[in-house]
Amino acid sequence: MKDLIRIARGEESGDLLIKNGKIVNVFSGEIETADVIVAEGIIVGVGAYENADTIVDAKGTLLLPGLIDAHVHIESSHLNPTSFGKAALSHGTTTVIADPHEIANVLGLPGLAYMAKAAEMTPLDIIYMAPSAVPATSLETAGAAIGEDDIRQLFSAFPQYYGLGEMMNFLGVLYGDEEVANKITAAKELKRPIDGHCPGLTGRDLNAYVLAGITTEHEATSVAEAKEKLSRGMMVWIREGSAAKNLENLLPLINEDNWPCFAFCADDINCHDLDTAGDILPILKKGVALGLDPIRSIQLATINPARHYRLEDRGAIAPGRKADFLIVDNLQDFTVLAVYKNGQESKTTAYPSYRQEDVLETVHLFPLQDLAFPDAQGKTRA
């Protein structure tokens, strides 16, 4: 700390200095012309600086905080965490809040342990939410089940598991399912955030769901639904992935009073979309194209999810925050010129390959029986 303070005061040289940049300040809502000095992967100063081991002239381009995906399922991309991290980081995403319930449905705790280990192999910060609904319902044929003891074990053994993942079994919450209640209690006792999933829930049932301590919702598809959930204290994550796309419907709800209660998420994104455009950057661009103020759009993609999940070390370009930022040419097209993670330009970062044999070939199907369907004439054909 003493060394960093001396660098912040200009008494010593930093590791990296970005000069002549225009910083999108997500606290003030302004664009600030200033230098950014970095040491030990941390932003130590914003202002006027001269000396560093590496000096980059931003030439008047814009610096944005690293983007944060508030809710995503890595498995939906058909990529392992290392490959997912490489693709996401190239488009400016530096942190994701990920719920690995898909691999948990197949492999249980060993699968979740693999995800934690694989997350260590990528510069992308992958913060996991412990899956709360494995299997999602009693009607599923799953390869594993995650109970209260497993949730507590994940929180204890793996720092990557930060909170309780989306509570899809909202009926279990409403009707007092003991296992569901125990999982929520485990998270609340440890003061861990709890994500929601309650499409169409309204009225007294919504009150009960929020009462349980569930604080986010990414399933809202209309202004009326999102407004009620917002009014009951839920954070609304606006989903715009490869399948579900809710941004255009929900954007009219955002105003000068409630904007801190929103963030962007991909939820499910395929590998093609992730590789060609990224997960959060396209949402940010689309929001601006639809009329959302560019700085407001950036706030939804950075400081808002950071504040909700109490990630006080990121989400902004400011002293003490991770040196996670991207450089873009303008605030309409957001063409990415460079991405920095922990003070290192991402294109220079090595991505080690990570392969774990016991997670391969683990999805097993029963032999398919003969299927018969009627044709246009009503005749049955196999």
Side-chain angles (χ1 to χ4, degrees), residues 16-41:
L16 170 69
L17 176 60
I18 308 291
K19 290 193 68 67
N20 305 315
K22 296 179 179 179
I23 299 164
V24 176
N25 191 313
V26 293
F27 298 122
S28 68
E30 300 171 329
I31 295 177
E32 177 183 3
T33 300
D35 305 329
V36 177
I37 192 162
V38 174
E40 298 180 17

PDB file of all heavy atoms in Angstrom, residues 16-41:
ATOM      1  N   LEU A  16       2.123   1.041 -15.776  1.00  0.00           N
ATOM      2  CA  LEU A  16       1.465   1.399 -17.037  1.00  0.00           C
ATOM      3  C   LEU A  16       0.855   2.786 -16.897  1.00  0.00           C
ATOM      4  O   LEU A  16       0.243   3.104 -15.874  1.00  0.00           O
ATOM      5  CB  LEU A  16       0.363   0.376 -17.364  1.00  0.00           C
ATOM      6  CG  LEU A  16      -0.579   0.719 -18.523  1.00  0.00           C
ATOM      7  CD1 LEU A  16       0.162   0.657 -19.857  1.00  0.00           C
ATOM      8  CD2 LEU A  16      -1.793  -0.217 -18.529  1.00  0.00           C
ATOM      9  N   LEU A  17       1.000   3.585 -17.937  1.00  0.00           N
ATOM     10  CA  LEU A  17       0.400   4.915 -17.954  1.00  0.00           C
ATOM     11  C   LEU A  17      -0.331   5.096 -19.279  1.00  0.00           C
ATOM     12  O   LEU A  17       0.258   4.968 -20.350  1.00  0.00           O
ATOM     13  CB  LEU A  17       1.479   5.991 -17.796  1.00  0.00           C
ATOM     14  CG  LEU A  17       1.025   7.452 -17.900  1.00  0.00           C
ATOM     15  CD1 LEU A  17      -0.010   7.778 -16.833  1.00  0.00           C
ATOM     16  CD2 LEU A  17       2.227   8.394 -17.812  1.00  0.00           C
ATOM     17  N   ILE A  18      -1.640   5.340 -19.186  1.00  0.00           N
ATOM     18  CA  ILE A  18      -2.442   5.664 -20.361  1.00  0.00           C
ATOM     19  C   ILE A  18      -2.620   7.181 -20.380  1.00  0.00           C
ATOM     20  O   ILE A  18      -3.263   7.748 -19.500  1.00  0.00           O
ATOM     21  CB  ILE A  18      -3.819   4.983 -20.326  1.00  0.00           C
ATOM     22  CG1 ILE A  18      -3.688   3.475 -20.090  1.00  0.00           C
ATOM     23  CG2 ILE A  18      -4.587   5.275 -21.617  1.00  0.00           C
ATOM     24  CD1 ILE A  18      -3.084   2.710 -21.230  1.00  0.00           C
ATOM     25  N   LYS A  19      -2.037   7.834 -21.377  1.00  0.00           N
ATOM     26  CA  LYS A  19      -2.075   9.300 -21.451  1.00  0.00           C
ATOM     27  C   LYS A  19      -3.064   9.748 -22.532  1.00  0.00           C
ATOM     28  O   LYS A  19      -3.334   9.049 -23.503  1.00  0.00           O
ATOM     29  CB  LYS A  19      -0.688   9.861 -21.757  1.00  0.00           C
ATOM     30  CG  LYS A  19       0.300   9.712 -20.602  1.00  0.00           C
ATOM     31  CD  LYS A  19       1.546  10.547 -20.815  1.00  0.00           C
ATOM     32  CE  LYS A  19       1.283  12.037 -20.742  1.00  0.00           C
ATOM     33  NZ  LYS A  19       0.896  12.490 -19.394  1.00  0.00           N
ATOM     34  N   ASN A  20      -3.592  10.951 -22.293  1.00  0.00           N
ATOM     35  CA  ASN A  20      -4.421  11.629 -23.302  1.00  0.00           C
ATOM     36  C   ASN A  20      -5.693  10.860 -23.643  1.00  0.00           C
ATOM     37  O   ASN A  20      -6.150  10.858 -24.787  1.00  0.00           O
ATOM     38  CB  ASN A  20      -3.613  11.892 -24.581  1.00  0.00           C
ATOM     39  CG  ASN A  20      -2.337  12.670 -24.311  1.00  0.00           C
ATOM     40  OD1 ASN A  20      -2.357  13.653 -23.575  1.00  0.00           O
ATOM     41  ND2 ASN A  20      -1.240  12.217 -24.886  1.00  0.00           N
ATOM     42  N   GLY A  21      -6.256  10.210 -22.658  1.00  0.00           N
ATOM     43  CA  GLY A  21      -7.510   9.508 -22.867  1.00  0.00           C
ATOM     44  C   GLY A  21      -8.695  10.294 -22.324  1.00  0.00           C
ATOM     45  O   GLY A  21      -8.542  11.187 -21.490  1.00  0.00           O
ATOM     46  N   LYS A  22      -9.858   9.971 -22.829  1.00  0.00           N
ATOM     47  CA  LYS A  22     -11.105  10.539 -22.311  1.00  0.00           C
ATOM     48  C   LYS A  22     -11.818   9.449 -21.530  1.00  0.00           C
ATOM     49  O   LYS A  22     -12.253   8.448 -22.102  1.00  0.00           O
ATOM     50  CB  LYS A  22     -11.971  11.060 -23.453  1.00  0.00           C
ATOM     51  CG  LYS A  22     -11.345  12.219 -24.212  1.00  0.00           C
ATOM     52  CD  LYS A  22     -12.249  12.683 -25.345  1.00  0.00           C
ATOM     53  CE  LYS A  22     -11.631  13.857 -26.091  1.00  0.00           C
ATOM     54  NZ  LYS A  22     -12.481  14.309 -27.226  1.00  0.00           N
ATOM     55  N   ILE A  23     -11.936   9.641 -20.229  1.00  0.00           N
ATOM     56  CA  ILE A  23     -12.440   8.602 -19.334  1.00  0.00           C
ATOM     57  C   ILE A  23     -13.941   8.769 -19.136  1.00  0.00           C
ATOM     58  O   ILE A  23     -14.417   9.856 -18.793  1.00  0.00           O
ATOM     59  CB  ILE A  23     -11.720   8.676 -17.975  1.00  0.00           C
ATOM     60  CG1 ILE A  23     -10.218   8.449 -18.167  1.00  0.00           C
ATOM     61  CG2 ILE A  23     -12.296   7.667 -16.998  1.00  0.00           C
ATOM     62  CD1 ILE A  23      -9.394   8.870 -16.988  1.00  0.00           C
ATOM     63  N   VAL A  24     -14.670   7.687 -19.344  1.00  0.00           N
ATOM     64  CA  VAL A  24     -16.086   7.692 -19.015  1.00  0.00           C
ATOM     65  C   VAL A  24     -16.203   7.475 -17.506  1.00  0.00           C
ATOM     66  O   VAL A  24     -15.931   6.381 -17.000  1.00  0.00           O
ATOM     67  CB  VAL A  24     -16.860   6.608 -19.784  1.00  0.00           C
ATOM     68  CG1 VAL A  24     -18.310   6.575 -19.333  1.00  0.00           C
ATOM     69  CG2 VAL A  24     -16.786   6.870 -21.287  1.00  0.00           C
ATOM     70  N   ASN A  25     -16.570   8.539 -16.806  1.00  0.00           N
ATOM     71  CA  ASN A  25     -16.649   8.494 -15.348  1.00  0.00           C
ATOM     72  C   ASN A  25     -18.064   8.052 -14.958  1.00  0.00           C
ATOM     73  O   ASN A  25     -19.024   8.817 -15.080  1.00  0.00           O
ATOM     74  CB  ASN A  25     -16.333   9.868 -14.758  1.00  0.00           C
ATOM     75  CG  ASN A  25     -16.147   9.819 -13.261  1.00  0.00           C
ATOM     76  OD1 ASN A  25     -16.937   9.222 -12.534  1.00  0.00           O
ATOM     77  ND2 ASN A  25     -15.093  10.463 -12.781  1.00  0.00           N
ATOM     78  N   VAL A  26     -18.192   6.819 -14.495  1.00  0.00           N
ATOM     79  CA  VAL A  26     -19.523   6.278 -14.189  1.00  0.00           C
ATOM     80  C   VAL A  26     -20.065   6.787 -12.863  1.00  0.00           C
ATOM     81  O   VAL A  26     -21.237   6.548 -12.539  1.00  0.00           O
ATOM     82  CB  VAL A  26     -19.495   4.728 -14.191  1.00  0.00           C
ATOM     83  CG1 VAL A  26     -19.229   4.197 -15.588  1.00  0.00           C
ATOM     84  CG2 VAL A  26     -18.479   4.176 -13.191  1.00  0.00           C
ATOM     85  N   PHE A  27     -19.244   7.504 -12.102  1.00  0.00           N
ATOM     86  CA  PHE A  27     -19.730   8.120 -10.862  1.00  0.00           C
ATOM     87  C   PHE A  27     -20.388   9.472 -11.142  1.00  0.00           C
ATOM     88  O   PHE A  27     -21.497   9.742 -10.688  1.00  0.00           O
ATOM     89  CB  PHE A  27     -18.585   8.307  -9.874  1.00  0.00           C
ATOM     90  CG  PHE A  27     -17.936   7.019  -9.441  1.00  0.00           C
ATOM     91  CD1 PHE A  27     -16.585   6.812  -9.649  1.00  0.00           C
ATOM     92  CD2 PHE A  27     -18.664   6.015  -8.835  1.00  0.00           C
ATOM     93  CE1 PHE A  27     -15.970   5.641  -9.260  1.00  0.00           C
ATOM     94  CE2 PHE A  27     -18.066   4.837  -8.441  1.00  0.00           C
ATOM     95  CZ  PHE A  27     -16.711   4.652  -8.649  1.00  0.00           C
ATOM     96  N   SER A  28     -19.702  10.297 -11.903  1.00  0.00           N
ATOM     97  CA  SER A  28     -20.210  11.648 -12.169  1.00  0.00           C
ATOM     98  C   SER A  28     -21.108  11.699 -13.399  1.00  0.00           C
ATOM     99  O   SER A  28     -21.844  12.674 -13.589  1.00  0.00           O
ATOM    100  CB  SER A  28     -19.034  12.610 -12.359  1.00  0.00           C
ATOM    101  OG  SER A  28     -18.328  12.312 -13.554  1.00  0.00           O
ATOM    102  N   GLY A  29     -21.031  10.667 -14.232  1.00  0.00           N
ATOM    103  CA  GLY A  29     -21.795  10.686 -15.470  1.00  0.00           C
ATOM    104  C   GLY A  29     -21.201  11.600 -16.523  1.00  0.00           C
ATOM    105  O   GLY A  29     -21.880  11.986 -17.474  1.00  0.00           O
ATOM    106  N   GLU A  30     -19.919  11.914 -16.382  1.00  0.00           N
ATOM    107  CA  GLU A  30     -19.246  12.842 -17.289  1.00  0.00           C
ATOM    108  C   GLU A  30     -18.096  12.147 -18.010  1.00  0.00           C
ATOM    109  O   GLU A  30     -17.668  11.054 -17.627  1.00  0.00           O
ATOM    110  CB  GLU A  30     -18.713  14.045 -16.506  1.00  0.00           C
ATOM    111  CG  GLU A  30     -19.790  14.828 -15.775  1.00  0.00           C
ATOM    112  CD  GLU A  30     -19.214  15.875 -14.842  1.00  0.00           C
ATOM    113  OE1 GLU A  30     -18.114  15.660 -14.296  1.00  0.00           O
ATOM    114  OE2 GLU A  30     -19.870  16.913 -14.662  1.00  0.00           O
ATOM    115  N   ILE A  31     -17.594  12.808 -19.034  1.00  0.00           N
ATOM    116  CA  ILE A  31     -16.382  12.357 -19.713  1.00  0.00           C
ATOM    117  C   ILE A  31     -15.237  13.251 -19.259  1.00  0.00           C
ATOM    118  O   ILE A  31     -15.299  14.478 -19.396  1.00  0.00           O
ATOM    119  CB  ILE A  31     -16.548  12.395 -21.240  1.00  0.00           C
ATOM    120  CG1 ILE A  31     -17.619  11.390 -21.665  1.00  0.00           C
ATOM    121  CG2 ILE A  31     -15.222  12.079 -21.930  1.00  0.00           C
ATOM    122  CD1 ILE A  31     -17.915  11.392 -23.137  1.00  0.00           C
ATOM    123  N   GLU A  32     -14.227  12.644 -18.706  1.00  0.00           N
ATOM    124  CA  GLU A  32     -13.133  13.361 -18.058  1.00  0.00           C
ATOM    125  C   GLU A  32     -11.836  13.142 -18.832  1.00  0.00           C
ATOM    126  O   GLU A  32     -11.450  11.997 -19.089  1.00  0.00           O
ATOM    127  CB  GLU A  32     -12.988  12.837 -16.622  1.00  0.00           C
ATOM    128  CG  GLU A  32     -11.860  13.422 -15.824  1.00  0.00           C
ATOM    129  CD  GLU A  32     -11.762  12.790 -14.438  1.00  0.00           C
ATOM    130  OE1 GLU A  32     -12.545  11.867 -14.133  1.00  0.00           O
ATOM    131  OE2 GLU A  32     -10.890  13.220 -13.666  1.00  0.00           O
ATOM    132  N   THR A  33     -11.176  14.206 -19.210  1.00  0.00           N
ATOM    133  CA  THR A  33      -9.880  14.096 -19.874  1.00  0.00           C
ATOM    134  C   THR A  33      -8.796  13.979 -18.806  1.00  0.00           C
ATOM    135  O   THR A  33      -8.592  14.907 -18.010  1.00  0.00           O
ATOM    136  CB  THR A  33      -9.615  15.309 -20.782  1.00  0.00           C
ATOM    137  OG1 THR A  33     -10.643  15.379 -21.779  1.00  0.00           O
ATOM    138  CG2 THR A  33      -8.265  15.186 -21.462  1.00  0.00           C
ATOM    139  N   ALA A  34      -8.115  12.841 -18.790  1.00  0.00           N
ATOM    140  CA  ALA A  34      -7.119  12.603 -17.741  1.00  0.00           C
ATOM    141  C   ALA A  34      -6.245  11.417 -18.115  1.00  0.00           C
ATOM    142  O   ALA A  34      -6.585  10.619 -18.998  1.00  0.00           O
ATOM    143  CB  ALA A  34      -7.803  12.348 -16.397  1.00  0.00           C
ATOM    144  N   ASP A  35      -5.123  11.297 -17.424  1.00  0.00           N
ATOM    145  CA  ASP A  35      -4.265  10.127 -17.543  1.00  0.00           C
ATOM    146  C   ASP A  35      -4.691   9.089 -16.511  1.00  0.00           C
ATOM    147  O   ASP A  35      -5.300   9.425 -15.482  1.00  0.00           O
ATOM    148  CB  ASP A  35      -2.802  10.506 -17.287  1.00  0.00           C
ATOM    149  CG  ASP A  35      -2.308  11.622 -18.191  1.00  0.00           C
ATOM    150  OD1 ASP A  35      -2.798  11.708 -19.336  1.00  0.00           O
ATOM    151  OD2 ASP A  35      -1.440  12.397 -17.747  1.00  0.00           O
ATOM    152  N   VAL A  36      -4.349   7.840 -16.783  1.00  0.00           N
ATOM    153  CA  VAL A  36      -4.624   6.755 -15.845  1.00  0.00           C
ATOM    154  C   VAL A  36      -3.316   6.023 -15.590  1.00  0.00           C
ATOM    155  O   VAL A  36      -2.668   5.533 -16.528  1.00  0.00           O
ATOM    156  CB  VAL A  36      -5.666   5.760 -16.398  1.00  0.00           C
ATOM    157  CG1 VAL A  36      -5.873   4.599 -15.425  1.00  0.00           C
ATOM    158  CG2 VAL A  36      -6.987   6.464 -16.672  1.00  0.00           C
ATOM    159  N   ILE A  37      -2.919   5.938 -14.321  1.00  0.00           N
ATOM    160  CA  ILE A  37      -1.687   5.243 -13.984  1.00  0.00           C
ATOM    161  C   ILE A  37      -2.012   3.975 -13.204  1.00  0.00           C
ATOM    162  O   ILE A  37      -2.889   3.961 -12.327  1.00  0.00           O
ATOM    163  CB  ILE A  37      -0.709   6.159 -13.208  1.00  0.00           C
ATOM    164  CG1 ILE A  37       0.668   5.485 -13.130  1.00  0.00           C
ATOM    165  CG2 ILE A  37      -1.238   6.550 -11.838  1.00  0.00           C
ATOM    166  CD1 ILE A  37       1.793   6.441 -12.787  1.00  0.00           C
ATOM    167  N   VAL A  38      -1.295   2.895 -13.552  1.00  0.00           N
ATOM    168  CA  VAL A  38      -1.572   1.554 -13.045  1.00  0.00           C
ATOM    169  C   VAL A  38      -0.319   0.968 -12.427  1.00  0.00           C
ATOM    170  O   VAL A  38       0.791   1.157 -12.950  1.00  0.00           O
ATOM    171  CB  VAL A  38      -2.066   0.643 -14.194  1.00  0.00           C
ATOM    172  CG1 VAL A  38      -2.221  -0.799 -13.729  1.00  0.00           C
ATOM    173  CG2 VAL A  38      -3.369   1.173 -14.781  1.00  0.00           C
ATOM    174  N   ALA A  39      -0.487   0.252 -11.322  1.00  0.00           N
ATOM    175  CA  ALA A  39       0.611  -0.501 -10.717  1.00  0.00           C
ATOM    176  C   ALA A  39       0.040  -1.746 -10.064  1.00  0.00           C
ATOM    177  O   ALA A  39      -1.042  -1.699  -9.465  1.00  0.00           O
ATOM    178  CB  ALA A  39       1.357   0.339  -9.686  1.00  0.00           C
ATOM    179  N   GLU A  40       0.725  -2.855 -10.224  1.00  0.00           N
ATOM    180  CA  GLU A  40       0.324  -4.134  -9.628  1.00  0.00           C
ATOM    181  C   GLU A  40      -1.111  -4.513 -10.002  1.00  0.00           C
ATOM    182  O   GLU A  40      -1.849  -5.085  -9.201  1.00  0.00           O
ATOM    183  CB  GLU A  40       0.498  -4.100  -8.107  1.00  0.00           C
ATOM    184  CG  GLU A  40       1.940  -3.879  -7.682  1.00  0.00           C
ATOM    185  CD  GLU A  40       2.126  -3.850  -6.173  1.00  0.00           C
ATOM    186  OE1 GLU A  40       1.216  -4.319  -5.450  1.00  0.00           O
ATOM    187  OE2 GLU A  40       3.169  -3.375  -5.716  1.00  0.00           O
ATOM    188  N   GLY A  41      -1.509  -4.169 -11.219  1.00  0.00           N
ATOM    189  CA  GLY A  41      -2.828  -4.529 -11.712  1.00  0.00           C
ATOM    190  C   GLY A  41      -3.959  -3.682 -11.187  1.00  0.00           C
ATOM    191  O   GLY A  41      -5.133  -3.986 -11.431  1.00  0.00           O
TER     192      GLY A  41
END
